[in-house]
């Protein structure tokens, strides 16, 4: 998965530019209520077993990325071979996954806990990504200014933050807390100086709405954190990961004319040219390895096409239409 940077000033832009095009809602991004659904791993495994495949998303430049792989009743993130970690709750066709932060990572964004709501259908997965904001006791921070006062916010006083990594110029990175907003004991809410004048705030029950020029954050305020969702044109932002077939039936190494194709359960890699950003998608016996890059700020994409034959060979068609027969070792 691509790294997500959760600065409030950039999050609305990043939600679009880093996660593909938004989709019309067919599922539900709401949280599964505590006490409902099931956390039984056997029931969740049985549910996942109905949706095997590798699921991918295409970004605005046409680049393709694997978001999830479901195989053997387990779900994996991206092209990882390690099962997706975190607490999982299932309700109907909705799987809620809360992924703990990795504080041993050198990347500050990896330290943050995240949440994904996955709505399953036969054609793909509609994905709603939530920002989990941790909470410290309230303290005054330089560079923040008051936006408004809401009496109902008093009981939610605190500094709501995510971790960010900063390069110190020596090749090392420093991880620091970045407060998205702060609330004092009088119900005053504070946001960075450069955003305060563009922000309107309101409270409905435990849901704090931060209304910006380009979109809206809705934050469910809890005792020790907030769970934030992005809304655009009054619709919660989501993406749809399309389904492709599993690679496992064609695992192995195929060679021919100085070309090597290596297929494992998570990915397929070919040694042909200098591929920049390859992603393999299998449908039936047809494997396409898409390569994407930018040249003079113009997006480019090539397709390396492989057809798996019944005799154990594979026919590889290069981007220039040259064909090579690959034999499985």
């Amino acid at each position: 998965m691509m790294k997500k940077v959760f600065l409030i000033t950039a999050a609305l832009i990043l939600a679009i530019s880093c996660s593909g095009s938004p989709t019309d809602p067919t599922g539900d991004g709401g949280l599964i209520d505590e006490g409902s659904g099931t956390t039984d791993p056997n029931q969740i495994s049985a549910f996942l077993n109905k949706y095997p495949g590798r699921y991918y998303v295409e970004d605005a430049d046409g680049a393709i990325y694997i978001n999830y792989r479901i195989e053997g009743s387990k779900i994996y993130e991206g092209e990882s071979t390690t099962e997706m970690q975190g607490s999982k709750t299932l309700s109907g066709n909705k799987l809620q996954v809360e992924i703990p932060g990795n504080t041993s990572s050198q990347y500050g964004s990896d330290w943050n806990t995240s949440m994904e709501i996955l709505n399953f259908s036969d054609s793909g997965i509609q994905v709603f990504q939530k920002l989990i904001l941790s909470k410290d006791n309230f303290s005054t921070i330089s560079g923040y200014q008051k936006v408004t006062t809401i009496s109902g916010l008093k009981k939610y006083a605190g500094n709501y933050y995510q971790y960010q990594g900063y390069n110190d110029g020596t090749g090392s990175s420093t991880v620091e807390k970045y407060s998205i907003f702060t609330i004092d004991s009088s119900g005053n809410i504070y946001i960075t100086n450069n955003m305060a004048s563009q922000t309107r705030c309101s409270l409905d029950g435990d849901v704090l709405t931060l209304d910006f020029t380009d979109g809206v954050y809705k934050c469910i305020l809890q005792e020790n954190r907030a769970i934030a969702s992005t809304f655009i044109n009054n619709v919660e932002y989501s993406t749809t990961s399309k389904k492709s077939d599993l690679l496992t039936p064609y695992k192995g190494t195929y060679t021919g004319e100085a070309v090597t194709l290596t297929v494992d359960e998570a990915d397929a890699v070919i040694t042909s040219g200098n591929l920049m950003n390859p992603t393999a998608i299998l449908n039936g016996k047809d494997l396409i390895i898409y390569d994407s890059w930018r040249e003079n700020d113009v997006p480019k994409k090539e397709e390396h096409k492989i057809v798996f034959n019944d005799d154990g060979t594979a026919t590889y068609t290069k981007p220039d239409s040259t064909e090579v027969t690959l034999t499985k070792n």
Side-chain angles (χ1 to χ4, degrees), residues 22-63:
T23 55
D24 293 331
T26 56
D28 173 15
L31 304 184
I32 297 175
D33 293 333
E34 187 174 353
S36 65
T38 179
T39 58
D40 180 3
N42 292 324
Q43 291 187 48
I44 293 173
S45 292
F47 171 79
L48 290 172
N49 197 43
K50 297 188 297 183
Y51 296 97
R54 294 168 75 245
Y55 294 81
Y56 65 95
V57 65
E58 185 173 352
D59 72 11
D61 284 349

Side-chain angles (χ1 to χ4, degrees), residues 311-322:
D311 62 3
T313 65
T315 302
Y316 166 45
T317 304
K318 298 182 180 182
D320 64 4
S321 299
T322 303

